[in-house]
Amino acid sequence: MTELSLTLSERQTADFEMIANGGFAPLTGFQGSEDWKRVCEDMRLATADGYWPIPITLPTDLECEVGDVVELAADDGKALGRITVEEIFERDVRKEAELVYGTTDEAHPGVAAIYEEGNRCLAGPIDVDALPNHEEAFMRRYLTPEQSRKEFADRGWKKIVAFQTRNPIHRAHEYLTKAALETCDGLFIHPLIGKTKAGDIPADVRMRCYEVLMENYYPADRVILGVKPAKMHYAGPREAVLHAIIRRNYGATHFIVGRDHAGAGDYYGTYDAQKIFDDIDIEELGIEPLMFEHTFWCNECEGLASGKTCPHDQDAHLFLSGTKVREMLGNGERPPEEFSRAEVADILIDAYKED
Ligand SMILES: [Zn+2]
């Protein structure tokens, strides 16, 4: 009998890693039809307790049968382990798109990705021999959930707030992470290094931005910078819940949910990713979301502020569109200090030159 083997896509490799390193606990493998259905319809697992907002499935055309063991390799060919096939099933990607992403529009990057993957999925538990490789810059910061929990405990932190990001941290984000840290023991900056959409800033560039901020503007004994090897789904509210569950697994007690969290285009309302937590039992979820409004520099306040803390009208607020910021950086020009730290701006300017 020939050995069955499957090379995972970049997205599937990221899912394998998150299951393997405990970031997706309580998942121990790729989900089957019962879980798929319950996750789509009720945002819950069928085969275990707890919330789960986005299906984690293994779509493939590989010919195999229930009971087969399939060797799994990362997208770069590295042998990772294997899956014992417990079920082969057809998911309905349009239903998944509608229920999880709230749209069947194939222009949505998360929806496009599942349409491309197709319906047929293998499900079953995985055995893990190795984790995927990452660039050195990331591995230096790599912590599994077990390791981050230990780091927090070693520092004596009890209240830990986690911050998800896939963008460089500008002043507004620095402000809200620090506002959260004021009432917590530690801050866990946890950028996503997995697959993002075209046009997003590459992870290695972002990593340099985070490091320069850590060195110059964050207290070293109160902040840990990690990396999260997951992919983006751009599922907005549902993904905010997944991001919270992942950070719970890494040992955080609180999680920052900003405006437009994990969204794409204008598929979701500005605060939809916060409202979804209204219908969730936070105790059962095991991590508390901290909701933040849009933050900005206010010339009258002479500081960073939000609609909650600033009484002035928009004329007093510094506003730069994403397009404007990209244009400035592309021209080698630093955005105002009130918008972005010079050190961060310089890294981004250099990155644009390399393009
Ligand atoms: Zn103000």
Side-chain angles (χ1 to χ4, degrees):
M1 196 180 112
T2 54
E3 189 179 80
L4 287 163
S5 67
L6 176 65
T7 300
L8 300 174
S9 68
E10 191 179 353
R11 287 165 52 84
Q12 293 167 346
T13 301
D15 282 343
F16 179 97
E17 179 163 16
M18 292 299 289
I19 300 167
N21 76 9
F24 276 169
L27 305 194
T28 53
F30 288 94
Q31 291 175 333
S33 58
E34 271 182 73
D35 275 324
W36 178 85
K37 185 168 186 289
R38 190 89 205 277
V39 167
C40 286
E41 291 175 355
D42 303 326
M43 220 165 68
R44 282 184 169 279
L45 296 169
T47 58
D49 286 335
Y51 292 102
W52 200 272
I54 300 176
I56 304 299
T57 48
L58 181 54
T60 173
D61 294 330
L62 181 79
E63 281 185 41
C64 60
E65 290 170 22
V66 169
D68 283 343
V69 174
V70 180
E71 295 296 317
L72 300 176
D75 54 323
D76 66 359
K78 181 179 180 181
L80 298 178
R82 61 207 59 80
I83 180 171
T84 302
V85 181
E86 281 185 346
E87 187 187 5
I88 301 168
F89 72 102
E90 298 278 329
R91 64 172 173 172
D92 178 344
V93 283
R94 289 193 73 83
K95 180 175 170 181
E96 183 171 329
E98 182 64 49
L99 293 175
V100 175
Y101 295 84
T103 175
T104 53
D105 185 357
E106 60 196 42
H108 182 295
V111 170
I114 62 168
Y115 285 0
E116 197 187 318
E117 288 171 344
N119 289 333
R120 183 179 175 276
C121 298
L122 306 184
I126 58 169
D127 289 320
V128 181
D129 293 337
L131 294 177
N133 292 325
H134 295 289
E135 288 179 47
E136 219 173 321
F138 305 142
M139 288 318 286
R140 208 160 61 76
R141 298 284 181 181
Y142 194 98
L143 296 170
T144 64
E146 197 184 346
Q147 290 165 333
S148 61
R149 282 170 179 273
K150 185 172 181 307
E151 291 274 333
F152 301 156
D154 287 350
R155 285 169 166 77
W157 294 355
K158 299 221 158 35
K159 268 179 92 174
I160 302 111
V161 60
F163 181 60
Q164 148 81 31
T165 173
R166 63 176 200 272
N167 291 306
I169 295 180
H170 295 300
R171 294 293 297 275
H173 292 111
E174 182 184 330
Y175 169 74
L176 59 88
T177 56
K178 288 180 171 176
L181 180 55
E182 289 289 357
T183 63
C184 291
D185 303 319
L187 169 67
F188 185 40
I189 297 179
H190 206 208
L192 176 141
I193 59 164
K195 181 103 174 135
T196 57
K197 60 184 166 55
D200 284 0
I201 304 221
D204 60 324
V205 174
R206 287 188 282 118
M207 209 64 195
R208 296 206 293 275
C209 295
Y210 305 138
E211 289 188 330
V212 78
L213 278 178
M214 296 274 298
E215 281 159 25
N216 296 317
Y217 298 100
Y218 283 93
D221 60 342
R222 290 269 168 217
V223 184
I224 294 175
L225 173 63
V227 293
K228 175 187 159 204
K231 69 193 183 197
M232 276 301 293
H233 301 264
Y234 302 96
R238 288 268 193 146
E239 191 153 17
V241 177
L242 181 62
H243 286 168
I245 290 171
I246 292 168
R247 275 35 179 252
R248 174 201 68 198
N249 290 336
Y250 275 86
T253 56
H254 294 73
F255 178 65
I256 293 172
V257 183
R259 68 198 282 273
D260 292 327
H261 190 104
D266 51 8
Y267 291 100
Y268 311 107
T270 307
Y271 293 105
D272 284 0
Q274 301 184 347
K275 288 182 201 142
I276 193 170
F277 288 94
D278 292 348
D279 299 323
I280 285 177
D281 178 341
I282 299 303
E283 204 164 315
E284 187 188 348
L285 184 68
I287 185 166
E288 193 175 328
L290 298 179
M291 315 305 190
F292 281 87
E293 291 199 10
H294 176 47
T295 49
F296 45 77
W297 177 273
C298 173
N299 288 321
E300 294 290 330
C301 291
E302 296 183 325
L304 276 301
S306 76
K308 244 178 172 172
T309 58
C310 160
H312 308 110
D313 65 32
Q314 285 189 354
D315 294 346
H317 302 164
L318 174 66
F319 173 78
L320 293 173
S321 69
T323 313
K324 176 72 185 163
V325 173
R326 282 190 292 275
E327 188 188 302
M328 293 182 80
L329 296 168
N331 292 334
E333 206 181 321
R334 285 180 186 162
E337 272 283 353
E338 293 83 359
F339 180 86
S340 192
R341 299 284 188 190
E343 295 92 332
V344 171
D346 288 348
I347 290 168
L348 295 173
I349 287 169
D350 285 347
Y352 274 92
K353 277 187 205 145
E354 286 163 23
D355 263 4

